[in-house]
Amino acid sequence: MSKPLDQKPLDQKPIAPKPIEIGAYEAKTHLPRLLREVAAGQSFTITLRGKPVAELKPTPTRHRMTREEAVRAMIEFTKRPDRPSLTAEQIKEMIEYGRR
């Protein structure tokens, strides 16, 4: 039994849209709009006199911790036996040093 054409294998990443070619002058003129489109997943090939010179594409995404994950990580850090123990005076000195 064959699978429907619109169904992709589960391990396959979604296909990124084909990069759109755009001239350097137009890219400079419309940079804010292009950045919004890149944030939405579109890629661009910037050309100079018809020759590709640069790519404008989305950066790889990274996992951002949820609030609960961050709190759990902080609690786990405080339980580590190798964490440094600081006196209140040392902490105050570090805070003051960071304000300079």
Side-chain angles (χ1 to χ4, degrees):
M1 180 175 171
S2 65
K3 60 183 176 178
L5 293 175
D6 58 60
Q7 194 175 22
K8 297 177 189 165
L10 294 176
D11 61 345
Q12 185 180 3
K13 293 181 181 178
I15 298 172
K18 183 178 177 186
I20 297 172
E21 283 196 7
I22 185 169
Y25 178 80
E26 187 178 354
K28 175 186 74 106
T29 305
H30 300 288
L31 185 60
R33 178 182 57 84
L34 294 177
L35 292 175
R36 285 191 298 273
E37 291 185 38
V38 168
Q42 180 62 55
S43 296
F44 295 90
T45 299
I46 301 173
T47 62
L48 187 60
R49 297 185 184 108
K51 295 185 180 183
V53 294
E55 292 181 355
L56 184 60
K57 59 186 179 180
T59 58
T61 57
R62 4 174 243 168
H63 172 70
R64 184 178 170 124
M65 273 197 230
T66 64
R67 184 175 298 147
E68 292 79 16
E69 290 172 329
V71 168
R72 196 174 313 115
M74 286 188 273
I75 291 170
E76 289 173 13
F77 177 77
T78 63
K79 294 178 181 179
R80 287 177 45 186
D82 63 333
R83 79 178 172 93
S85 58
L86 301 172
T87 65
E89 186 61 35
Q90 289 172 316
I91 293 172
K92 286 179 186 178
E93 287 176 12
M94 293 170 79
I95 291 171
E96 287 302 316
Y97 180 80
R99 290 183 178 159
R100 295 181 201 163

